[in-house]
């Protein structure tokens, strides 16, 4: 019996810790306690089983492992993006966006639902936090959709699904953690997630369009009296066309001599600033050139779009790292809130408190996962997971399908941080051994976790919406009518179509890896070339070729430094191959210590003998 337990200690540990998590014990403490308890058991069993490699001095590695978390630059992006999102949420940016885009799409059926999807995408690209997006849109748009006769299931499902876009749309916190655990670049993870995220947004809009065609009474257009901004889309199109023309003109003339990235940034900045300043002038000087709708859309949309470009654009172009992009985004959010007059000490304190709590939450889970991981690897848990996964039928496809199902089930009960810190480090080595691109693997897991946010009865997004949706009959302050409450089953029914869409998206990404692996395409190269002349005149080839240290008279002195590209020390100076160094080759060509330089074999003329070294002449080899 003891031999059986020792042999199967890894699955016993894994099942025990997962059971404690599902019961509801705090994640960080459960992981750390499980790791320490099974460490003691493993040390005792190490005398019985040679498969267990745990011993007491191994505990001394924990301080260094925990300290390694503290100076992880990748995880530093989490508090920056969290703080940025919370400042924007508390500055009522979501309210302005929903009102403006709702007015823009108001004349068409399903206009409010389209507005919710698009605003959800914008909030995802600025906040990166699911809870903030779902709660903000639930508080703002749900009463409006109920007021104008939207089907309750369609309305709640659209809000819950649009809020989960923060899981997959960069700068998602999920992608940051996933990149850290997979050991890959956050920038590559962002670039790889961009196309799948845009496809998901497009399919959401296609679903709303299908509902508006098949069940138009479920998604009515806004009545004329509710369109407070009026019409005027034509002037909006004209302004956007003028901004595009300014971009093209400045890109090919004013900034033509700059590098590609700098040209793009400056041309886009000038075009956007021109449209924004023109809209402000039209409003404050009452020029009457633009319609009120176009003016409001540009003034409301450009600041968050500019912030998105500041964060994501600089990361995609390679100008900034994700951590630097997050810092710029947090600064930009503070500036936007200050300009709108919505930044005060209360808002700042609430944002800092929430950011600190979330960051501490992530750090403690990661510390617990490190303690758990040391014990789990010491009892060969990684080998057990690897053998289990590699024995699955179907190879790469079978592995991805099983992992998708397992992560989906875990996502119904555990937060994505917990899954990322526990399951991903165990699955990543197996995926890499199967030849699976880890960025592609991470995006599949990210979409999977996004799906689990919507799954009844434990989907977190459904819980967030339930917390703000009215459960009982309520009075609409605008229309004065009594509105029925929203039942939980209606929220669940509304989420089902979006769950199907998410599953189809997972299958699509698995079937077409190119949707993600396009991140491997090389960035545009600069046409600037720097060519240095030979330094010291000792090399026959171009470039920087310095004469060998202590070479003969044929080297002409110079600086006396060796060229780059070192062969083994002590190789003859005239040895064949690229390491040859006596005639200005690419190698060091030092003779063995204490021996005179050998003559070059196969050369047309033998190298002249070196003169007798003068006293204290450091250009010659030492003699002992």
């Amino acid at each position: 019996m003891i031999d059986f337990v020792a042999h199967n200690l890894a699955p016993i540990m894994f099942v025990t810790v997962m059971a404690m998590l599902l019961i509801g014990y705090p994640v960080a403490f459960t992981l750390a306690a499980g790791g320490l308890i099974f460490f003691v058991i493993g040390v005792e069993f190490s005398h019985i089983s040679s498969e267990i490699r745990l011993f007491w001095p191994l505990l001394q590695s924990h301080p260094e492992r925990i300290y390694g978390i503290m100076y992880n630059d990748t995880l530093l992006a989490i508090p920056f993006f969290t703080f940025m999102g919370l400042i924007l949420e508390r500055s009522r940016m979501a309210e302005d966006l929903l009102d403006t885009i709702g007015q823009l799409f108001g004349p068409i059926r399903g206009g409010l639902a389209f507005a919710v999807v698009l605003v959800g995408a914008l909030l995802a690209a600025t906040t990166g936090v699911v809870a903030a997006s779902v709660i903000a849109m639930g508080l703002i748009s749900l009463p409006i959709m109920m007021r104008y006769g939207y089907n309750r299931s369609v309305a709640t499902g659209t809000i819950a699904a649009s809020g989960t876009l923060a899981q997959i749309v960069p700068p998602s916190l999920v992608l940051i953690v996933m990149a850290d655990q997979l050991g890959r670049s956050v920038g590559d993870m962002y670039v790889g997630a961009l196309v799948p995220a845009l496809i998901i947004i497009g399919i959401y809009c296609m679903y709303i369009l299908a509902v508006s065609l098949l069940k138009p009474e479920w998604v009515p257009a806004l009545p004329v009296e509710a369109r407070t901004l009026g019409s005027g889309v034509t002037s909006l199109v004209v302004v956007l066309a003028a901004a595009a023309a300014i971009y093209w003109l400045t890109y090919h003339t004013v900034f033509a001599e700059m590098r590609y990235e700098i040209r793009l940034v400056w041309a886009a900045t000038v075009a956007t600033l021109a449209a924004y300043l023109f809209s402000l002038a039209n409003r404050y000087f009452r020029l009457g050139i633009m319609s009120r709708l176009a003016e409001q859309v540009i003034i409301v949309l450009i600041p968050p779009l500019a912030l998105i470009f500041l964060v994501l654009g600089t990361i995609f172009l390679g100008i900034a790292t994700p951590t630097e992009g997050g810092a710029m985004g947090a600064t930009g959010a503070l500036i936007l809130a200050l300009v709108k007059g919505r930044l005060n000490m209360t808002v700042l304190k609430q944002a800092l408190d929430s950011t600190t709590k979330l960051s501490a939450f992530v750090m403690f889970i990661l510390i617990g996962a490190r303690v758990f991981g040391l014990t789990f690897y010491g009892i060969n848990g990684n080998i057990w997971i690897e053998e289990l996964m590699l024995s699955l039928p179907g190879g790469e496809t079978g592995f991805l399908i099983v992992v998708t199902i397992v992560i989906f089930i875990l996502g119904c009960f555990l937060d994505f941080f917990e899954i990322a810190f526990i399951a991903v480090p165990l699955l990543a080595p197996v995926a890499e051994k199967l030849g699976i691109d880890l960025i592609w693997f991470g995006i599949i897991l990210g979409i999977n976790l996004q799906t689990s946010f919507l799954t009844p009865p434990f989907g977190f997004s459904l819980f967030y919406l339930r917390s703000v949706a009215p459960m009982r009959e309520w009075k609409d302050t605008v229309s004065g009518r009594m509105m029925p409450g929203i039942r939980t089953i209606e929220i669940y029914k509304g989420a089902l179509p979006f769950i199907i869409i998410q599953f189809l998206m997972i299958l699509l990404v698995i079937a077409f890896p190119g949707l993600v692996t396009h991140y491997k395409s090389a960035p545009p190269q600069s046409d600037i070339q720097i060519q240095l002349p030979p330094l010291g005149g000792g090399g026959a080839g171009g470039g920087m070729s310095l004469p060998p240290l202590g070479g003969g008279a044929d080297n002409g002195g110079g600086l006396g430094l060796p060229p780059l590209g070192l062969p083994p020390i002590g190789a003859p100076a005239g040895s064949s191959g690229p390491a040859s160094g006596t005639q200005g080759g690419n190698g060091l060509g030092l003779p063995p210590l204490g021996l005179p330089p050998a003559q070059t074999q196969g050369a047309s003329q033998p190298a002249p003998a070196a003169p007798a070294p003068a006293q204290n002449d450091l250009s010659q080899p030492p003699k002992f």
Side-chain angles (χ1 to χ4, degrees):
M1 180 64 181
I2 295 179
D3 291 338
F4 175 81
V5 173
H7 181 71
N8 295 282
L9 192 59
I12 292 172
M13 177 184 179
F14 185 79
V15 171
T16 302
V17 171
M18 294 304 298
M20 299 299 289
L21 292 176
L22 296 179
I23 290 173
Y25 284 95
V27 178
F29 301 129
T30 301
L31 291 175
L36 293 175
I37 291 171
F38 277 90
F39 186 91
V40 175
I41 297 172
V43 170
E44 297 301 322
F45 280 4
S46 63
H47 306 292
I48 301 172
S49 174
S50 60
E51 299 176 4
I52 299 176
R53 297 166 298 169
L54 293 177
F55 45 91
W56 292 117
L58 199 59
L59 286 175
Q60 298 176 7
S61 65
H62 278 312
E64 182 64 27
R65 288 166 60 84
I66 292 172
Y67 182 67
I69 302 170
M70 303 306 172
Y71 59 77
N72 189 327
D73 290 338
T74 301
L75 295 179
L76 188 61
I78 292 178
F80 281 136
F81 284 121
T82 304
F83 181 75
M84 178 183 76
L86 292 170
I87 287 291
L88 293 176
E89 183 227 339
R90 283 165 173 76
S91 64
R92 302 199 302 276
M93 184 191 72
E95 182 177 348
D96 296 340
L97 287 172
L98 279 167
D99 180 60
T100 303
I101 298 181
Q103 293 284 327
L104 181 63
F105 288 94
I108 63 175
R109 292 193 186 99
L112 287 176
F114 285 119
V116 167
V117 173
L118 296 177
V119 171
L122 288 174
L123 291 179
T126 50
T127 64
V129 182
V130 173
S133 299
V134 174
I135 290 174
M137 291 192 297
L139 289 172
I140 300 165
S141 63
L142 187 58
I144 301 174
M145 299 172 87
M146 296 297 97
R147 181 183 309 147
Y148 296 115
Y150 268 66
N151 178 274
R152 288 195 288 273
S153 292
V154 173
T156 54
T158 303
I159 292 172
S162 301
T164 62
L165 291 173
Q167 290 284 98
I168 195 64
V169 175
S172 164
L173 300 184
V174 177
L175 300 180
I176 297 174
V177 175
M178 202 72 71
D180 176 70
Q181 295 302 300
L182 293 172
R184 291 297 182 267
S185 164
V186 178
D188 288 344
M189 191 70 74
Y190 281 175
V191 175
L194 191 59
V195 173
L198 292 175
I199 293 175
I200 291 173
I201 296 169
I203 298 177
Y204 281 6
C205 292
M206 289 174 61
Y207 168 70
I208 301 299
L209 178 62
V211 171
S212 67
L213 295 176
L214 299 176
K215 293 285 186 179
E217 68 276 8
W218 285 6
V219 285
L222 279 179
V224 177
E225 61 272 13
R227 302 173 201 167
T228 56
L229 294 179
S231 58
V233 179
T234 304
S235 60
L236 176 62
V237 173
V238 171
V239 172
L240 294 179
I246 294 173
Y247 168 80
W248 185 89
L249 186 65
T250 54
Y251 184 86
H252 291 283
T253 57
V254 179
F255 308 116
E257 301 300 324
M258 297 182 179
R259 289 203 322 267
Y260 163 78
E261 304 91 34
I262 308 300
R263 291 169 67 191
L264 190 149
V265 171
W266 277 108
T269 301
V270 170
T272 304
L273 195 60
Y276 188 67
L277 293 177
F278 182 73
S279 302
L280 289 176
N282 187 77
R283 167 176 291 186
Y284 292 107
F285 294 107
R286 303 180 187 275
L287 301 178
I289 300 174
M290 300 172 59
S291 66
R292 187 161 170 248
L293 175 64
E295 172 191 290
Q296 180 71 6
V297 167
I298 291 176
I299 291 176
V300 170
L301 277 183
I302 281 185
L305 289 176
L307 187 62
I308 292 171
F309 180 77
L310 177 68
V311 175
L312 297 181
T314 53
I315 294 174
F316 290 163
L317 293 173
I319 300 173
T321 65
T323 302
E324 293 167 347
M328 290 190 296
T331 305
L334 287 172
I335 294 173
L336 286 181
L338 183 63
V339 170
K340 291 184 178 181
R342 297 171 181 173
L343 182 64
N344 51 51
M345 288 304 299
T346 303
V347 170
L348 190 60
K349 182 177 181 299
Q350 291 175 349
L352 288 172
D353 286 345
S354 299
T355 302
T356 305
K357 289 177 182 177
L358 179 63
S359 302
F361 168 76
V362 173
M363 289 297 107
F364 268 99
I365 291 179
L366 188 51
I367 290 171
R370 284 291 177 94
V371 176
F372 171 86
L374 179 66
T375 303
F376 196 69
Y377 280 76
I379 59 177
N380 284 338
N382 58 321
I383 298 176
W384 169 68
I385 291 286
E386 184 175 313
E387 292 177 349
L388 179 65
M389 291 297 174
L390 291 177
S391 62
L392 295 172
E396 176 185 301
T397 305
F399 169 77
L400 290 175
I401 292 174
V402 171
V403 168
T404 298
I405 295 172
V406 171
I407 295 297
F408 177 78
I409 294 173
L410 291 177
C412 295
F413 303 95
L414 302 177
D415 189 75
F416 70 88
F417 283 120
E418 300 154 11
I419 294 174
F421 291 144
I422 300 172
V424 173
L426 300 177
L427 297 173
V430 185
E432 195 166 21
K433 197 165 188 177
L434 288 170
I436 297 173
D437 184 272
L438 291 186
I439 297 291
W440 179 43
F441 183 61
I443 300 303
I444 293 172
L445 294 184
I447 301 174
N448 198 338
L449 292 174
Q450 180 189 356
T451 308
S452 66
F453 264 70
L454 292 171
T455 309
F458 303 106
F460 288 100
S461 183
L462 306 179
F463 286 155
Y464 298 145
L465 183 59
R466 175 72 280 177
S467 67
V468 296
M471 299 182 64
R472 301 179 183 85
E473 193 177 38
W474 57 285
K475 183 177 181 180
D476 181 28
T477 56
V478 176
S479 63
R481 292 182 293 141
M482 296 300 296
M483 309 293 292
I486 296 175
R487 296 178 297 164
T488 302
I489 191 64
E490 292 174 328
I491 299 177
Y492 290 171
K493 285 172 59 179
L496 289 178
F498 293 96
I499 295 173
I500 296 173
I501 291 173
Q502 291 291 127
F503 270 121
L504 293 176
M505 191 62 212
I506 293 175
L507 297 177
L508 188 66
V509 172
I510 292 176
F512 300 98
L515 295 174
V516 174
T517 55
H518 66 89
Y519 78 92
K520 295 180 180 178
S521 59
Q525 299 293 326
S526 172
D527 55 357
I528 300 176
Q529 296 181 355
I530 300 177
Q531 194 167 17
L532 296 178
L535 183 59
M544 183 180 292
S545 180
L546 303 181
L549 178 63
D554 57 329
N555 288 318
L559 295 178
L561 297 177
L564 301 179
L566 307 179
I569 293 180
S575 57
S576 61
S580 179
T582 58
Q583 297 295 328
N586 296 325
L588 182 61
L590 290 180
L593 293 178
L595 298 179
Q599 292 185 352
T600 305
Q601 297 178 4
S604 58
Q605 292 181 357
Q615 188 174 3
N616 297 329
D617 186 358
L618 299 181
S619 67
Q620 298 301 317
K623 294 186 185 272
F624 296 94

